[in-house]
PDB file of all heavy atoms in Angstrom:
ATOM      1  N   VAL A 198      20.303  -4.973  -3.000  1.00  0.00           N
ATOM      2  CA  VAL A 198      20.819  -5.107  -1.655  1.00  0.00           C
ATOM      3  C   VAL A 198      19.684  -5.811  -0.769  1.00  0.00           C
ATOM      4  O   VAL A 198      19.999  -6.719  -0.023  1.00  0.00           O
ATOM      5  CB  VAL A 198      21.134  -3.704  -1.039  1.00  0.00           C
ATOM      6  CG1 VAL A 198      21.382  -3.914   0.430  1.00  0.00           C
ATOM      7  CG2 VAL A 198      22.338  -3.226  -1.754  1.00  0.00           C
ATOM      8  N   THR A 199      18.443  -5.382  -0.955  1.00  0.00           N
ATOM      9  CA  THR A 199      17.369  -6.004  -0.155  1.00  0.00           C
ATOM     10  C   THR A 199      17.144  -7.429  -0.495  1.00  0.00           C
ATOM     11  O   THR A 199      16.952  -8.313   0.369  1.00  0.00           O
ATOM     12  CB  THR A 199      16.094  -5.177  -0.346  1.00  0.00           C
ATOM     13  OG1 THR A 199      16.205  -3.829   0.131  1.00  0.00           O
ATOM     14  CG2 THR A 199      14.944  -5.811   0.459  1.00  0.00           C
ATOM     15  N   LEU A 200      17.228  -7.738  -1.767  1.00  0.00           N
ATOM     16  CA  LEU A 200      17.117  -9.176  -2.227  1.00  0.00           C
ATOM     17  C   LEU A 200      18.222 -10.015  -1.675  1.00  0.00           C
ATOM     18  O   LEU A 200      18.037 -11.144  -1.315  1.00  0.00           O
ATOM     19  CB  LEU A 200      17.023  -9.219  -3.760  1.00  0.00           C
ATOM     20  CG  LEU A 200      15.681  -8.842  -4.389  1.00  0.00           C
ATOM     21  CD1 LEU A 200      15.822  -8.708  -5.835  1.00  0.00           C
ATOM     22  CD2 LEU A 200      14.691 -10.078  -4.120  1.00  0.00           C
ATOM     23  N   SER A 201      19.404  -9.437  -1.554  1.00  0.00           N
ATOM     24  CA  SER A 201      20.561 -10.212  -1.059  1.00  0.00           C
ATOM     25  C   SER A 201      20.378 -10.581   0.339  1.00  0.00           C
ATOM     26  O   SER A 201      20.532 -11.716   0.799  1.00  0.00           O
ATOM     27  CB  SER A 201      21.840  -9.388  -1.221  1.00  0.00           C
ATOM     28  OG  SER A 201      22.912 -10.108  -0.630  1.00  0.00           O
ATOM     29  N   THR A 202      19.889  -9.599   1.236  1.00  0.00           N
ATOM     30  CA  THR A 202      19.677  -9.862   2.596  1.00  0.00           C
ATOM     31  C   THR A 202      18.449 -10.870   2.849  1.00  0.00           C
ATOM     32  O   THR A 202      18.399 -11.653   3.717  1.00  0.00           O
ATOM     33  CB  THR A 202      19.534  -8.602   3.462  1.00  0.00           C
ATOM     34  OG1 THR A 202      18.449  -7.870   2.894  1.00  0.00           O
ATOM     35  CG2 THR A 202      20.762  -7.773   3.387  1.00  0.00           C
ATOM     36  N   LEU A 203      17.514 -10.595   1.934  1.00  0.00           N
ATOM     37  CA  LEU A 203      16.236 -11.447   2.032  1.00  0.00           C
ATOM     38  C   LEU A 203      16.561 -12.886   1.682  1.00  0.00           C
ATOM     39  O   LEU A 203      16.135 -13.811   2.406  1.00  0.00           O
ATOM     40  CB  LEU A 203      15.163 -10.906   1.103  1.00  0.00           C
ATOM     41  CG  LEU A 203      13.810 -11.759   0.978  1.00  0.00           C
ATOM     42  CD1 LEU A 203      13.174 -11.849   2.305  1.00  0.00           C
ATOM     43  CD2 LEU A 203      12.918 -11.051  -0.073  1.00  0.00           C
ATOM     44  N   ARG A 204      17.349 -13.153   0.630  1.00  0.00           N
ATOM     45  CA  ARG A 204      17.774 -14.513   0.244  1.00  0.00           C
ATOM     46  C   ARG A 204      18.551 -15.167   1.420  1.00  0.00           C
ATOM     47  O   ARG A 204      18.342 -16.343   1.724  1.00  0.00           O
ATOM     48  CB  ARG A 204      18.593 -14.426  -1.034  1.00  0.00           C
ATOM     49  CG  ARG A 204      17.806 -14.246  -2.243  1.00  0.00           C
ATOM     50  CD  ARG A 204      18.691 -13.908  -3.464  1.00  0.00           C
ATOM     51  NE  ARG A 204      17.997 -14.077  -4.660  1.00  0.00           N
ATOM     52  CZ  ARG A 204      18.251 -13.351  -5.824  1.00  0.00           C
ATOM     53  NH1 ARG A 204      19.247 -12.459  -5.731  1.00  0.00           N
ATOM     54  NH2 ARG A 204      17.599 -13.600  -6.854  1.00  0.00           N
ATOM     55  N   ALA A 205      19.437 -14.363   2.065  1.00  0.00           N
ATOM     56  CA  ALA A 205      20.190 -14.873   3.193  1.00  0.00           C
ATOM     57  C   ALA A 205      19.220 -15.388   4.376  1.00  0.00           C
ATOM     58  O   ALA A 205      19.477 -16.402   4.927  1.00  0.00           O
ATOM     59  CB  ALA A 205      21.232 -13.900   3.675  1.00  0.00           C
ATOM     60  N   LYS A 206      18.218 -14.535   4.573  1.00  0.00           N
ATOM     61  CA  LYS A 206      17.392 -14.877   5.685  1.00  0.00           C
ATOM     62  C   LYS A 206      16.432 -16.091   5.382  1.00  0.00           C
ATOM     63  O   LYS A 206      16.069 -16.867   6.265  1.00  0.00           O
ATOM     64  CB  LYS A 206      16.504 -13.671   6.144  1.00  0.00           C
ATOM     65  CG  LYS A 206      17.387 -12.525   6.736  1.00  0.00           C
ATOM     66  CD  LYS A 206      16.506 -11.322   7.138  1.00  0.00           C
ATOM     67  CE  LYS A 206      17.322 -10.264   7.712  1.00  0.00           C
ATOM     68  NZ  LYS A 206      16.571  -9.019   8.093  1.00  0.00           N
ATOM     69  N   LEU A 207      16.044 -16.215   4.094  1.00  0.00           N
ATOM     70  CA  LEU A 207      15.249 -17.307   3.611  1.00  0.00           C
ATOM     71  C   LEU A 207      16.033 -18.573   3.674  1.00  0.00           C
ATOM     72  O   LEU A 207      15.450 -19.658   3.969  1.00  0.00           O
ATOM     73  CB  LEU A 207      14.731 -17.065   2.200  1.00  0.00           C
ATOM     74  CG  LEU A 207      13.617 -16.039   2.073  1.00  0.00           C
ATOM     75  CD1 LEU A 207      13.458 -15.677   0.572  1.00  0.00           C
ATOM     76  CD2 LEU A 207      12.297 -16.565   2.661  1.00  0.00           C
ATOM     77  N   GLY A 208      17.333 -18.559   3.432  1.00  0.00           N
ATOM     78  CA  GLY A 208      18.130 -19.750   3.581  1.00  0.00           C
ATOM     79  C   GLY A 208      18.085 -20.641   2.380  1.00  0.00           C
ATOM     80  O   GLY A 208      17.436 -20.309   1.321  1.00  0.00           O
ATOM     81  N   ASP A 209      18.577 -21.907   2.486  1.00  0.00           N
ATOM     82  CA  ASP A 209      18.613 -22.873   1.405  1.00  0.00           C
ATOM     83  C   ASP A 209      17.426 -23.825   1.507  1.00  0.00           C
ATOM     84  O   ASP A 209      16.996 -24.114   2.631  1.00  0.00           O
ATOM     85  CB  ASP A 209      19.948 -23.560   1.403  1.00  0.00           C
ATOM     86  CG  ASP A 209      21.071 -22.674   1.020  1.00  0.00           C
ATOM     87  OD1 ASP A 209      20.902 -21.773   0.165  1.00  0.00           O
ATOM     88  OD2 ASP A 209      22.153 -22.840   1.643  1.00  0.00           O
ATOM     89  N   PRO A 210      16.978 -24.356   0.414  1.00  0.00           N
ATOM     90  CA  PRO A 210      17.348 -24.094  -0.986  1.00  0.00           C
ATOM     91  C   PRO A 210      16.861 -22.696  -1.389  1.00  0.00           C
ATOM     92  O   PRO A 210      15.798 -22.262  -1.003  1.00  0.00           O
ATOM     93  CB  PRO A 210      16.815 -25.182  -1.792  1.00  0.00           C
ATOM     94  CG  PRO A 210      15.593 -25.654  -0.989  1.00  0.00           C
ATOM     95  CD  PRO A 210      15.963 -25.475   0.446  1.00  0.00           C
ATOM     96  N   PRO A 211      17.549 -22.026  -2.347  1.00  0.00           N
ATOM     97  CA  PRO A 211      17.100 -20.781  -2.799  1.00  0.00           C
ATOM     98  C   PRO A 211      15.712 -20.762  -3.416  1.00  0.00           C
ATOM     99  O   PRO A 211      15.416 -21.745  -4.132  1.00  0.00           O
ATOM    100  CB  PRO A 211      18.156 -20.295  -3.836  1.00  0.00           C
ATOM    101  CG  PRO A 211      19.368 -21.147  -3.477  1.00  0.00           C
ATOM    102  CD  PRO A 211      18.791 -22.407  -3.044  1.00  0.00           C
ATOM    103  N   VAL A 212      14.864 -19.787  -3.192  1.00  0.00           N
ATOM    104  CA  VAL A 212      13.581 -19.686  -3.730  1.00  0.00           C
ATOM    105  C   VAL A 212      13.313 -18.493  -4.630  1.00  0.00           C
ATOM    106  O   VAL A 212      12.385 -18.470  -5.439  1.00  0.00           O
ATOM    107  CB  VAL A 212      12.420 -19.727  -2.675  1.00  0.00           C
ATOM    108  CG1 VAL A 212      12.395 -21.109  -1.994  1.00  0.00           C
ATOM    109  CG2 VAL A 212      12.596 -18.643  -1.617  1.00  0.00           C
ATOM    110  N   ILE A 213      14.137 -17.475  -4.472  1.00  0.00           N
ATOM    111  CA  ILE A 213      14.028 -16.281  -5.291  1.00  0.00           C
ATOM    112  C   ILE A 213      15.006 -16.386  -6.491  1.00  0.00           C
ATOM    113  O   ILE A 213      16.217 -16.499  -6.318  1.00  0.00           O
ATOM    114  CB  ILE A 213      14.240 -14.996  -4.491  1.00  0.00           C
ATOM    115  CG1 ILE A 213      13.315 -14.845  -3.342  1.00  0.00           C
ATOM    116  CG2 ILE A 213      14.228 -13.713  -5.417  1.00  0.00           C
ATOM    117  CD1 ILE A 213      13.570 -13.672  -2.561  1.00  0.00           C
ATOM    118  N   GLU A 214      14.463 -16.365  -7.665  1.00  0.00           N
ATOM    119  CA  GLU A 214      15.162 -16.477  -8.880  1.00  0.00           C
ATOM    120  C   GLU A 214      15.344 -15.182  -9.639  1.00  0.00           C
ATOM    121  O   GLU A 214      14.355 -14.446  -9.748  1.00  0.00           O
ATOM    122  CB  GLU A 214      14.514 -17.511  -9.777  1.00  0.00           C
ATOM    123  CG  GLU A 214      15.205 -17.735 -11.155  1.00  0.00           C
ATOM    124  CD  GLU A 214      14.449 -18.801 -11.991  1.00  0.00           C
ATOM    125  OE1 GLU A 214      13.307 -19.101 -11.696  1.00  0.00           O
ATOM    126  OE2 GLU A 214      14.972 -19.196 -13.018  1.00  0.00           O
ATOM    127  N   THR A 215      16.540 -14.862 -10.156  1.00  0.00           N
ATOM    128  CA  THR A 215      16.747 -13.705 -10.966  1.00  0.00           C
ATOM    129  C   THR A 215      16.483 -14.065 -12.450  1.00  0.00           C
ATOM    130  O   THR A 215      17.070 -15.027 -12.927  1.00  0.00           O
ATOM    131  CB  THR A 215      18.198 -13.127 -10.776  1.00  0.00           C
ATOM    132  OG1 THR A 215      18.353 -12.768  -9.413  1.00  0.00           O
ATOM    133  CG2 THR A 215      18.381 -12.003 -11.709  1.00  0.00           C
ATOM    134  N   VAL A 216      15.716 -13.364 -13.147  1.00  0.00           N
ATOM    135  CA  VAL A 216      15.517 -13.626 -14.568  1.00  0.00           C
ATOM    136  C   VAL A 216      16.187 -12.477 -15.286  1.00  0.00           C
ATOM    137  O   VAL A 216      15.722 -11.361 -15.289  1.00  0.00           O
ATOM    138  CB  VAL A 216      13.939 -13.561 -14.865  1.00  0.00           C
ATOM    139  CG1 VAL A 216      13.680 -13.817 -16.337  1.00  0.00           C
ATOM    140  CG2 VAL A 216      13.208 -14.649 -14.030  1.00  0.00           C
ATOM    141  N   PRO A 217      17.308 -12.761 -15.988  1.00  0.00           N
ATOM    142  CA  PRO A 217      18.100 -11.724 -16.561  1.00  0.00           C
ATOM    143  C   PRO A 217      17.333 -10.927 -17.527  1.00  0.00           C
ATOM    144  O   PRO A 217      16.547 -11.366 -18.346  1.00  0.00           O
ATOM    145  CB  PRO A 217      19.178 -12.592 -17.305  1.00  0.00           C
ATOM    146  CG  PRO A 217      19.293 -13.830 -16.556  1.00  0.00           C
ATOM    147  CD  PRO A 217      17.862 -14.134 -16.124  1.00  0.00           C
ATOM    148  N   GLY A 218      17.480  -9.567 -17.348  1.00  0.00           N
ATOM    149  CA  GLY A 218      16.810  -8.566 -18.183  1.00  0.00           C
ATOM    150  C   GLY A 218      15.339  -8.415 -17.942  1.00  0.00           C
ATOM    151  O   GLY A 218      14.688  -7.579 -18.595  1.00  0.00           O
TER     152      GLY A 218
END
Side-chain angles (χ1 to χ4, degrees):
V198 171
T199 299
L200 279 165
S201 177
T202 57
L203 177 58
R204 283 167 165 150
K206 291 179 180 180
L207 286 166
D209 293 323
V212 291
I213 298 177
E214 179 182 9
T215 299
V216 181

